[in-house]
Amino acid sequence: MRGLAKTLVRNGVVGADDMSTLVARTGEGPELRQELVTARLATETQIAEAIAEQTNRPFVDLGSVTLDPEIVALVPPALCRRYHVLPIARGRRQLTVGMLDPEDLIALDDLATATDLNIVPVVVAADALASAFARFLRSDEELSDLSEQIGEIAAADAGPAGTESLEDQAGDAPIVRFVNILITQAISDRASDIHIEPGERQLTVRYRIDGVLHEMQRADRSIQDGVISRLKIMANVDIAERRRPQDGRLSVLHEGRQVDLRLATLPTVWGEKIVMRILDNSGTAMEMSELRFSSINEQRFRSAITRPHGMVLVTGPTGSGKSTTLYTALNTVANSQINVITVEDPVEYRIAGISQIQVNQRAGLTFQAALRSILRSDPDVVLVGEIRDKETATISIEAALTGHLVLSTLHTNDAPSALTRLIEIGCEPFLVGTALSAVVAQRLARRLCVKCRVPYVESADALRSVGFPHDPSDLPQLYRAVGCSACSGTGFRGRVALHEVMTLSEGLEQLVVGRATGTELRQLALAEGMVALRDDGFSKVAEGITTIDEVLRVAV
């Protein structure tokens, strides 16, 4: 792909100075392409179009063509992944394949040998190719074959814990390959959690994708011990301990990037259940615009996190995106002129330039102990992973009152309930009202797949029954889920956050000091302009981002 740099500069995609800097650092090999995308100087599509122009080959947008699974199956999946190619169309004696590098002669020769057809290369974008791989080169059949092979084979010894390359272990023992494929497929499917659940006769594997669990695999119970032992070895936990819960962490290399997984074991009547949370840094929003706040909510949130002191809480159930919102806030306010320290359990995402502390109960490093030490380390911004008890809440509030910006999470159903919750766990009402700057309640609703959603007009009675704001004489156009290959037939791809941002006014402070109920606090917050979770969700329904059913599912 020599000449790619010149082509991008000539087409005006990248400035000459920026390109010279990159080429001096990476040369014109594959690293240049990755650097261009990472630095957001060019998109994968722009790079692919430049390669097509440079090599005099057609560019094909994989998102706009219908791929035939039978044609895709003409090339073995291992060969597709090795050479980054995908069959697109078949002629009488030829096969059109999408490639990242149409001048890879070794790949073209191997493809011709494997298919006994003339290979016609076209250029495709790397991100579109990865998406097509996730749809068509799934590992379900191989998992089934491996589960049959494993039978009663004991788990293979994994060696020392650490970062492991999943791609490099394809030839290892069947139990190792089974586990690696489970993890690889989960990451490719954008799963947030992997559930490995033992049963009386079968081992069930489920992935949580966009907040909903999907059963992916059933295997014979005879492989259960081997799979669980392998995962416990990878996470560096005691494989001999089966009677009590354990927590661990492992790192894997997937398609050139490191992905961390948090593992938790839970003894059940049929054996140990394992749940792994996938902590993928690349999927974490770090720009405020990516959180999809409404204009008024974003204004309120920015105002709270840019204050020099005070406390900002993000509330919601587990898995509602609270950590992502807090890290985005940190990314917004952090710079070289301030000292940012976090204390978390666990540290989900590691961020350069920020001091992050991992809670260690056995060593006595609790939230309370860490917070006391943090306040002696001259911090400007403190992030507390979660407020769980009176002492942590009290120290956090006192830190907010003594010139620090404190960010934390709390488990409540809505924003006003955070005030009553802090009082219930023992904080003084007058301190709560003074220290808090804002509370954000949020939920995650599934986002409609833009490639298959269809417009429709809901009846006025249905809209009225759920409280959807509308004009009966001019009913709004909404969208419903359909399902296509891009979204694996679900009709949804990705998630969007619904927000409820409450800023502390003088009136709310007086109610807090007077120990008002959560209902009274909510009524005043709404009167002062707070947008309720459901109303924020309905605004996103009107924009065609999600559906009424999704909003009703996550927002009461």
Side-chain angles (χ1 to χ4, degrees):
M1 292 188 290
R2 290 184 178 178
L4 173 61
K6 290 183 179 179
T7 304
L8 288 170
V9 172
R10 185 173 65 248
N11 292 347
V13 176
V14 183
D17 292 341
D18 290 333
M19 185 61 79
S20 297
T21 303
L22 280 180
V23 171
R25 186 166 73 242
T26 66
E28 290 200 48
E31 295 84 2
L32 175 62
R33 181 174 193 153
Q34 183 61 43
E35 283 291 328
L36 286 167
V37 175
T38 302
R40 298 187 177 182
L41 295 175
T43 64
E44 292 286 8
T45 299
Q46 290 172 326
I47 294 172
E49 289 173 341
I51 293 172
E53 177 184 337
Q54 168 197 334
T55 59
N56 199 27
R57 295 286 183 181
F59 167 75
V60 174
D61 180 6
L62 287 178
S64 63
V65 299
T66 302
L67 298 176
D68 186 342
E70 292 185 1
I71 294 176
V72 173
L74 291 174
V75 177
L79 212 58
C80 289
R81 294 187 185 277
R82 183 188 309 163
Y83 293 122
H84 302 288
V85 302
L86 190 75
I88 295 175
R90 180 180 180 177
R92 186 172 181 181
R93 287 293 303 157
Q94 68 181 29
L95 181 66
T96 302
V97 298
M99 307 180 68
L100 301 185
D101 181 6
E103 295 184 327
D104 188 341
L105 299 180
I106 297 176
L108 293 172
D109 185 57
D110 283 359
L111 289 172
T113 302
T115 61
D116 197 25
L117 295 169
N118 296 321
I119 304 300
V120 179
V122 297
V123 183
V124 296
D127 52 357
L129 185 66
S131 178
F133 278 1
R135 300 200 310 266
F136 292 97
L137 305 185
R138 295 187 58 82
S139 306
D140 299 346
E141 293 184 8
E142 186 175 358
L143 282 173
S144 298
D145 293 341
L146 281 173
S147 64
E148 293 177 5
Q149 291 178 31
I150 293 168
E152 297 181 358
I153 297 177
D157 189 357
T163 300
E164 303 194 27
S165 174
L166 299 180
E167 290 87 351
D168 293 343
Q169 299 179 357
D172 284 348
I175 202 77
V176 177
R177 290 174 56 207
F178 184 92
V179 169
N180 290 347
I181 293 170
L182 276 184
I183 297 174
T184 299
Q185 191 63 62
I187 298 171
S188 298
D189 285 354
R190 303 174 297 104
S192 60
D193 300 88
I194 305 172
H195 290 241
I196 298 173
E197 302 167 334
E200 183 178 5
R201 295 183 178 86
Q202 289 181 315
L203 182 71
T204 304
V205 178
R206 297 195 290 172
Y207 295 164
R208 187 177 294 279
I209 303 173
D210 295 335
V212 178
L213 279 170
H214 300 268
E215 184 176 309
M216 308 304 296
Q217 183 70 25
R218 283 180 180 264
D220 190 84
R221 195 176 187 277
S222 59
I223 76 169
Q224 174 181 316
D225 290 344
V227 171
I228 292 173
S229 295
R230 169 62 182 165
L231 286 168
K232 290 169 75 173
I233 289 170
M234 292 175 70
N236 199 25
V237 300
D238 186 357
I239 64 170
E241 179 56 71
R242 301 181 179 183
R243 297 169 299 174
R244 62 182 179 85
Q246 297 187 81
D247 295 317
R249 192 180 183 112
L250 59 143
S251 297
V252 298
L253 292 177
H254 177 74
E255 295 181 353
R257 72 180 192 274
Q258 179 172 313
V259 178
D260 294 335
L261 294 94
R262 190 180 73 209
L263 178 142
T265 69
L266 184 68
T268 71
V269 292
W270 300 118
E272 287 180 285
K273 170 177 174 149
I274 287 186
V275 177
M276 289 183 286
R277 169 65 57 88
I278 299 173
L279 309 172
D280 189 354
N281 275 308
S282 64
T284 307
M286 284 298 176
E287 297 295 333
M288 192 70 73
S289 59
E290 297 178 53
L291 296 180
R292 297 305 298 262
F293 276 105
S294 66
S295 57
I296 182 64
N297 282 343
E298 181 173 345
Q299 179 184 344
R300 290 181 167 202
F301 187 58
R302 282 186 180 273
S303 175
I305 65 174
T306 52
R307 292 180 59 179
H309 56 81
M311 176 185 281
V312 178
L313 293 177
V314 182
T315 73
T318 301
S320 60
K322 299 188 297 296
S323 295
T324 298
T325 299
L326 285 181
Y327 280 115
T328 304
L330 276 187
N331 189 59
T332 302
V333 302
N335 58 61
S336 60
Q337 298 176 338
I338 64 173
N339 181 22
V340 181
I341 305 178
T342 77
V343 52
E344 306 164 70
D345 184 20
V347 175
E348 293 192 8
Y349 304 107
R350 294 176 171 88
I351 305 176
I354 293 178
S355 302
Q356 296 176 274
I357 300 172
Q358 167 71 57
V359 167
N360 187 336
Q361 299 285 351
R362 291 181 179 178
L365 185 59
T366 61
F367 275 112
Q368 304 93 307
L371 267 173
R372 293 192 195 96
S373 298
I374 287 173
L375 296 179
R376 292 193 291 269
S377 301
D378 188 30
D380 296 291
V381 180
V382 178
L383 185 150
V384 182
E386 182 183 350
I387 292 178
R388 302 175 180 174
D389 52 57
K390 176 183 177 181
E391 191 171 358
T392 303
T394 302
I395 299 173
S396 299
I397 288 174
E398 289 174 352
L401 292 171
T402 53
H404 306 89
L405 175 63
V406 179
L407 308 175
S408 189
T409 68
L410 195 65
H411 287 285
T412 62
N413 290 328
D414 60 9
S417 297
L419 301 171
T420 55
R421 173 66 178 150
L422 289 174
I423 295 171
E424 286 171 359
I425 63 177
C427 297
E428 292 293 339
F430 69 93
L431 292 179
V432 172
T434 306
L436 271 177
S437 301
V439 182
V440 180
Q442 73 177 54
R443 301 289 189 278
L444 292 178
R446 289 185 293 174
R447 187 190 294 260
L448 278 167
C449 174
V450 296
K451 294 188 178 180
C452 65
R453 65 179 185 178
V454 295
Y456 78 105
V457 177
E458 187 62 89
S459 67
D461 290 340
L463 295 177
R464 192 183 308 111
S465 67
V466 298
F468 190 94
H470 66 284
D471 180 357
S473 62
D474 184 20
L475 295 176
Q477 176 180 281
L478 308 178
Y479 290 85
R480 64 161 54 99
V482 177
C484 65
S485 59
C487 58
S488 301
T490 63
F492 299 94
R493 185 171 178 83
R495 289 188 287 178
V496 63
L498 317 181
H499 301 100
E500 181 177 271
V501 182
M502 181 187 73
T503 53
L504 268 291
S505 64
E506 184 176 341
L508 283 170
E509 287 185 29
Q510 291 175 353
L511 285 181
V512 172
V513 173
R515 296 182 180 271
T517 65
T519 301
E520 293 170 329
L521 292 168
R522 183 170 183 79
Q523 289 173 347
L524 180 57
L526 291 171
E528 292 181 345
M530 182 184 79
V531 179
L533 269 172
R534 182 176 287 193
D535 292 335
D536 187 57
F538 284 157
S539 69
K540 291 178 170 65
V541 171
E543 295 177 41
I545 298 174
T546 187
T547 67
I548 291 178
D549 288 342
E550 271 299 295
V551 173
L552 297 179
R553 181 177 70 86
V554 300
V556 295

